[in-house]
Amino acid sequence: MANDQKPVISVRKLRKVYMMGQEHVVALHNIDLDIPRGEVCCIFGTSGSGKSTLLNQLAGLEKPTRGVVRIGGVPISQLNENQLAAFRQKHIGFVFQSYNLLPELTAAENVAMPLMFKGVDPDVRLLEAKKMLCRVYGTAFPKASELEAHLNMLEEAKKRDHNKLGRELELFTTVDIIGQGLPILLPKGAKIIQILQRFVEDEEARRGWQLTKTPYMAKRELYKLSGHWDHYLDGMFVLGDPNDETKECFALRPMTCPFQYQAYLNRARSYRDLPLRYNETSTLFRNEDSGEMHGLIRVRQFTISEGHLMCTPEQLEQEFRGCLELAIYMLKTLGLYEDVSYRFSQWDPDDRDKYIGTPEQWDEAQGVMKKILDHLEIPYKIGIGEAAFYGPKLDIQIKNVYGKEDTLITIQIDQMLAEKFGMEYVDRDGVKKNPYIIHRTSIGCYERTLALLIEKYAGAFPMWLAPVQVKLLTIADRHCDYAYDIKRRLEENGIRAEVDDRNEKIGYKIREARLQKVPYMLIIGDNEVENGTLSVRERGENGDLGSMTADEFIERAVSEDKSRIIK
């Protein structure tokens, strides 16, 4: 490419460029822009939006033409040449935003809009100059005060980031030799997942769900029948040559639905058997791209509260309502209900290769779902192209501390796979019919839920979820016997307790327990041993609750644990 050549960049293809999460500041138009080399040096955008492709076609400016740009929190205008030279030497090249690419700002030639930039991955090479640029993510703000508010938000987000806190609190870790997207849950993190799983399975059983246990893998023929082989093969871990039909080929399961269908097909069904609700705590495997993985939010192996419900058309709305009520109950119990939004995910008729079924079937399925959602008064937004390949779905969306949105819970209506699998029931009129299938999760992916809970509570979990609920802190060795007796009594009542009997000062032990975000600390010294009492502290700066008897505290702890109170 010659230096004076102007590459044509399609804004239609780069729809998310100049955006960061929901904080986009311009409305892009579906036009092509002729962008001279050297004119643009910063591209806003999420993963996969085409930033690298665009950067590879453009040369960079050393300084922005306008705006307030910060390097290390200092406006670039306040840096001297030595500081700028040091920055360039370290990053080799860096990039900024040119305002004439913001259509709504072209008339305001002299506007000085504050900018904030975050540089990562300094490895984007120019095609011609073979110089290295630093990929930069940025957000523009109309006012400096909004920039300061955003910086404060980011500082708070860093404190709550589950990737940071989860490791500091020893909830999980990752190891290069095991692989990306394959976290190890440490004892405390595994305990929280265990508590959640028992809570979910018990509640599902109370609502009429029957537990299954199905294999982690299956032959390719099962996935061909379900449609996953044709529509989801790139996201699967395949064991064998997928193209060699002469040899047996297996794949780890990316979802549980075709397995639970076999449970339905175990015997003939009547309308009297319906609704039939199967649930499973499923371990699934999905071959995510390395750039998409993030802590516990998006991983390659995960555990999910999955379920499939077979019902008649007349039962569909009531059963869908039941699935939604279960999800809402879970969200409220976890304290996440106020943080979610709803997306009615529909197919994209302009990209029919992604889906099975006819337009008429999709219109019918989406019409049924719309009627149900409107009747239930669900405040949803529509997501074109977000449906599963076999049917529309209600996605319950949630954002992490940095504002990135992910799906936490999904409820799907499927009227196609029952026919493909030969799933039938004999109706009242004696005619064999295919049931409707509802695919649902009640709490979603446990790893993702744990990440969101870490960020929601900054690691200070509600007592019922805390891996260690009570920490007993002894002042001297002579107090250990009493401490361990109290620990035994707490555990007999279902309370998770630990004793810190190290030869350390009590102030140091209290500080450590606070850093570990333990809900209750019981300080035991001579007075407590002599009087058979406990000195009780809650976590937090002003958490001294004074003296209690052991019975009083145990009653308080058990009540708080069983009620699942959030405070």
Side-chain angles (χ1 to χ4, degrees), residues 41-111:
C41 348
C42 175
I43 306 302
F44 300 173
T46 56
S47 176
S49 62
K51 298 184 300 298
S52 296
T53 302
L54 183 55
L55 283 173
N56 280 337
Q57 300 178 63
L58 306 170
L61 296 174
E62 291 185 350
K63 293 184 179 180
T65 57
R66 56 180 74 89
V68 179
V69 178
R70 296 172 180 268
I71 297 176
V74 179
I76 192 172
S77 60
Q78 298 179 15
L79 299 179
N80 59 41
E81 286 302 321
N82 291 335
Q83 291 172 313
L84 284 173
F87 180 85
R88 294 190 193 104
Q89 184 177 8
K90 178 180 179 182
H91 292 275
I92 302 179
F94 58 95
V95 293
F96 298 101
Q97 172 65 53
S98 176
Y99 280 103
N100 58 6
L101 283 184
L102 305 182
E104 293 183 355
L105 296 177
T106 52
E109 289 296 331
N110 297 319
V111 67

Side-chain angles (χ1 to χ4, degrees), residues 144-156:
S145 59
E146 293 185 17
L147 170 60
E148 294 303 322
H150 187 73
L151 291 173
N152 292 335
M153 181 277 290
L154 288 180
E155 286 303 313
E156 180 63 24

Side-chain angles (χ1 to χ4, degrees), residues 216-236:
Y216 285 2
M217 67 180 74
K219 296 193 296 185
R220 77 180 130 206
E221 286 72 21
L222 179 71
Y223 302 116
K224 284 187 175 182
L225 181 60
S226 69
H228 291 99
W229 200 257
D230 293 328
H231 296 275
Y232 202 77
L233 184 60
D234 290 343
M236 297 169 63

Side-chain angles (χ1 to χ4, degrees), residues 104-358:
E104 293 183 355
L105 296 177
T106 52
E109 289 296 331
N110 297 319
V111 67
M113 180 175 287
L115 300 178
M116 183 196 66
F117 294 101
K118 178 184 178 184
V120 294
D121 298 336
D123 59 358
V124 183
R125 294 184 181 274
L126 290 175
L127 296 178
E128 286 299 312
K130 297 184 178 180
K131 295 178 181 177
M132 189 174 289
L133 291 179
C134 176
R135 185 184 302 172
V136 173
Y137 299 84
T139 306
F141 299 88
K143 298 178 181 179
S145 59
E146 293 185 17
L147 170 60
E148 294 303 322
H150 187 73
L151 291 173
N152 292 335
M153 181 277 290
L154 288 180
E155 286 303 313
E156 180 63 24
K158 290 177 184 177
K159 297 175 185 176
R160 293 174 176 268
D161 187 344
H162 83 276
N163 241 336
K164 173 178 177 290
L165 264 182
R167 298 170 197 274
E168 291 175 354
L169 296 174
E170 296 186 350
L171 300 176
F172 75 96
T173 188
T174 52
V175 183
D176 287 342
I177 199 171
I178 290 179
Q180 192 177 8
L182 299 170
I184 296 174
L185 290 175
L186 300 173
K188 290 180 181 179
K191 173 56 69 175
I192 296 174
I193 296 294
Q194 182 188 59
I195 294 165
L196 287 171
Q197 287 181 0
R198 290 175 176 175
F199 164 60
V200 170
E201 288 181 357
D202 288 347
E203 184 61 29
E204 288 174 338
R206 193 179 70 80
R207 296 177 185 238
W209 292 81
Q210 302 178 55
L211 190 66
T212 65
K213 185 70 173 176
T214 57
Y216 285 2
M217 67 180 74
K219 296 193 296 185
R220 77 180 130 206
E221 286 72 21
L222 179 71
Y223 302 116
K224 284 187 175 182
L225 181 60
S226 69
H228 291 99
W229 200 257
D230 293 328
H231 296 275
Y232 202 77
L233 184 60
D234 290 343
M236 297 169 63
F237 288 101
V238 178
L239 310 177
D241 186 350
N243 300 313
D244 188 349
E245 297 289 344
T246 65
K247 295 181 180 178
E248 208 169 41
C249 181
F250 288 79
L252 299 176
R253 63 180 182 185
M255 56 279 293
T256 312
C257 41
F259 295 84
Q260 288 194 323
Y261 297 164
Q262 303 307 311
Y264 180 92
L265 291 166
N266 185 54
R267 63 177 175 85
R269 303 290 177 179
S270 160
Y271 71 92
R272 295 185 180 88
D273 297 318
L274 305 183
L276 184 58
R277 309 180 187 100
Y278 288 142
N279 68 305
E280 183 165 337
T281 302
S282 306
T283 298
L284 303 180
F285 307 85
R286 295 184 184 175
N287 190 13
E288 301 282 3
D289 292 335
S290 59
E292 292 293 318
M293 288 180 289
H294 171 62
L296 297 177
I297 294 285
R298 191 174 291 275
V299 292
R300 284 175 168 151
Q301 175 183 314
F302 57 93
T303 305
I304 193 169
S305 57
E306 198 162 13
H308 297 88
L309 184 155
M310 283 60 69
C311 65
T312 68
E314 298 77 20
Q315 297 167 335
L316 183 62
E317 180 171 345
Q318 183 61 33
E319 291 303 315
F320 190 96
R321 179 193 295 269
C323 293
L324 182 57
E325 288 175 347
L326 172 61
I328 290 174
Y329 172 75
M330 295 293 173
L331 291 169
K332 287 184 174 179
T333 305
L334 295 174
L336 298 174
Y337 178 68
E338 299 297 330
D339 303 328
V340 301
S341 60
Y342 301 90
R343 184 181 70 195
F344 179 9
S345 296
Q346 303 180 2
W347 83 318
D348 183 355
D350 295 329
D351 191 7
R352 292 178 55 182
D353 290 343
K354 287 174 56 178
Y355 310 95
I356 62 173
T358 65

